Amino acid sequence: MITNKITKEMEDKFLQIIYQRYTQEHGYGTRKLSEYKVLITGGEEFEEEMPEIVEHDQAQNMKRYLLVDILDELRAKGYLNFSEDNIRYWLSPKGYEQA
């Protein structure tokens, strides 16, 4: 069943995943935050590390990623910045510190 519900734990876990990926690619520090971006269509790339990011509706054989919902919540809290077209997101300095 598709619930469209996210939790604080999911937000925290996703923020940690982005932080880890950023620091693996660019090291520590905030000078290159905008160089690691998450696309709104990239839910599948997080599924292995975060299986709860996807919901399954067996009755309708549907799969829905909660990526956009999580990104929107983290953006609203100031943890992520985003492109003008709302397609790409990256850590803000506040999100980096929170993670």
Side-chain angles (χ1 to χ4, degrees):
M1 172 184 274
I2 305 282
T3 65
N4 301 326
K5 292 183 182 177
I6 58 173
T7 65
K8 170 87 169 93
E9 291 77 22
M10 290 169 72
E11 290 177 12
D12 292 342
K13 185 175 181 179
F14 188 76
L15 194 60
Q16 283 295 314
I17 291 169
I18 294 174
Y19 173 82
Q20 289 170 357
R21 290 182 179 189
Y22 168 78
T23 56
Q24 286 175 352
E25 191 172 318
H26 298 288
Y28 293 95
T30 59
R31 70 191 177 287
K32 294 185 176 185
L33 286 177
S34 64
E35 293 185 27
Y36 176 76
K37 293 181 174 72
V38 176
L39 295 175
I40 61 171
T41 57
E44 192 172 298
E45 74 178 82
F46 296 97
E47 193 172 349
E48 187 174 317
E49 290 174 271
M50 190 174 173
E52 63 270 28
I53 203 166
V54 65
E55 292 184 314
H56 299 277
D57 185 338
Q58 300 301 335
Q60 296 182 20
N61 195 25
M62 288 178 50
K63 187 180 197 181
R64 179 183 186 277
Y65 290 96
L66 299 174
L67 178 64
V68 173
D69 298 322
I70 294 170
L71 291 171
D72 284 343
E73 283 297 319
L74 293 173
R75 181 188 73 180
K77 292 178 179 180
Y79 296 149
L80 296 178
N81 290 326
F82 58 100
S83 61
E84 286 184 30
D85 57 8
N86 292 327
I87 294 176
R88 293 172 297 281
Y89 289 76
W90 57 92
L91 282 172
S92 69
K94 183 179 177 180
Y96 179 90
E97 291 301 320
Q98 178 68 22

